[in-house]
Amino acid sequence: MPTKTVQIPTPDGQADAFAAFPDHGERHPGVLLYPDALGLRPELEKKAGELAGHGYYVLVPNLFYRHGPAPVFDLPEHIGEEARPAIFAQLMPLVEAHTTERVLRDADAYVGFLTAQPEVGAGPVATIGYCMGAALAMRTATAHPGQVAAVAGFHPGFLVTDAPDSPHHRIPELTARVHIGLAVGDMTPEAIGELNQALDAAGVEYTTEVYPDTIHGFTMADTDAFNPSALQRHWDRLLPLLDRALRNSGS
């Protein structure tokens, strides 16, 4: 499985990113995969490689490239609960600095780079995100409705907030198929209802689902939140979504 580190030109500099893609020569549908707040690391590279094995070109950007190349700070091989306070003390200023304006500038650069790769086909792309990356995937999909045909978010953060620029306010512009896979307690029933109402109003095909017996972060095998059966459920939802949206199989 070919993998490489690439540099994506952005209005604010060069974003380093990880790319994985099939090892045969033809062109493949593109997938932009946004990491969780812990950033680009081996766990995200593993997910990209698995998706590439299903026939996709997968691009995983370093969200915090303005602060340095990945890893922006050292992470343990397994991110246990005891390590999280110190990690998040370093991390939160980076998250807070990642404003909506920056997110949208970066999204333009990432989508443009992805679609220009010689290994990527001419059709639509998908955006996927984990934790805070789910909001970035949604923002990218609503900002690029003509290019993004599928959006998926898992154990999402910040999808529905009280802020005037909450991602859910842009959903009327969405044209993509959607799956949102929630951990128990990720969003209140009221917030889920608000999200579903926005998706209904957009007239898009979507599913929102609370995965049973999960906590926030359930897809990440390098954390204590990991739940193997929920990770499999995530693949069982994600792969058919991508296949239908990007390969035009089925209705």
Side-chain angles (χ1 to χ4, degrees):
M1 183 70 58
T3 64
K4 59 184 177 181
T5 299
V6 296
Q7 298 292 325
I8 304 172
T10 80
D12 298 330
Q14 295 275 331
D16 53 304
F18 177 83
F21 46 95
D23 56 5
H24 34 92
E26 64 264 28
R27 300 167 81 191
H28 309 280
V31 175
L32 176 57
L33 192 160
Y34 284 108
D36 59 2
L38 293 166
L40 177 53
R41 61 193 191 281
E43 174 66 15
L44 276 299
E45 295 176 3
K46 180 180 174 183
K47 284 182 169 50
E50 178 136 359
L51 265 180
H54 289 278
Y56 299 98
Y57 182 107
V58 186
L59 182 68
V60 190
N62 169 22
L63 303 180
F64 305 127
Y65 69 88
R66 293 173 180 85
H67 306 274
V72 178
F73 47 83
D74 291 332
L75 291 171
E77 189 172 324
H78 183 86
I79 303 160
E81 285 304 311
E82 71 287 346
R84 289 176 74 86
I87 291 169
F88 275 84
Q90 292 178 279
L91 182 61
M92 289 315 295
L94 277 61
V95 173
E96 289 164 4
H98 203 58
T99 61
T100 300
E101 184 183 13
R102 285 184 169 184
V103 169
L104 293 174
R105 283 206 304 273
D106 288 348
D108 289 347
Y110 299 158
V111 171
F113 182 90
L114 176 63
T115 55
Q117 296 313 292
E119 302 91 352
V120 174
V125 302
T127 59
I128 302 169
Y130 300 87
C131 179
M132 71 175 280
L136 308 188
M138 184 63 76
R139 288 197 190 280
T140 304
T142 55
H144 298 271
Q147 291 179 286
V148 179
V151 57
F154 299 95
H155 40 87
F158 314 113
L159 267 183
V160 177
T161 74
D162 294 330
D165 64 349
S166 173
H168 78 288
H169 291 316
R170 296 290 299 273
I171 286 177
E173 298 160 46
L174 190 68
T175 61
R177 289 183 167 98
V178 178
H179 175 72
I180 303 296
L182 297 146
V184 176
D186 264 345
M187 293 171 64
T188 65
E190 293 76 18
I192 295 172
E194 197 167 350
L195 177 64
N196 288 346
Q197 186 176 22
L199 290 164
D200 283 331
V204 299
E205 179 185 311
Y206 77 93
T207 53
T208 55
E209 180 180 4
V210 178
Y211 290 18
D213 305 315
T214 53
I215 60 174
H216 185 73
F218 59 77
T219 65
M220 297 297 166
D222 61 352
T223 74
D224 289 348
F226 180 55
N227 180 315
S229 63
L231 174 65
Q232 185 56 52
R233 183 184 292 252
H234 138 286
W235 290 121
D236 292 344
R237 301 297 187 267
L238 178 58
L239 293 172
L241 174 78
L242 296 179
D243 189 50
R244 293 180 66 195
L246 302 187
R247 301 186 193 280
N248 296 314
S249 62
S251 57

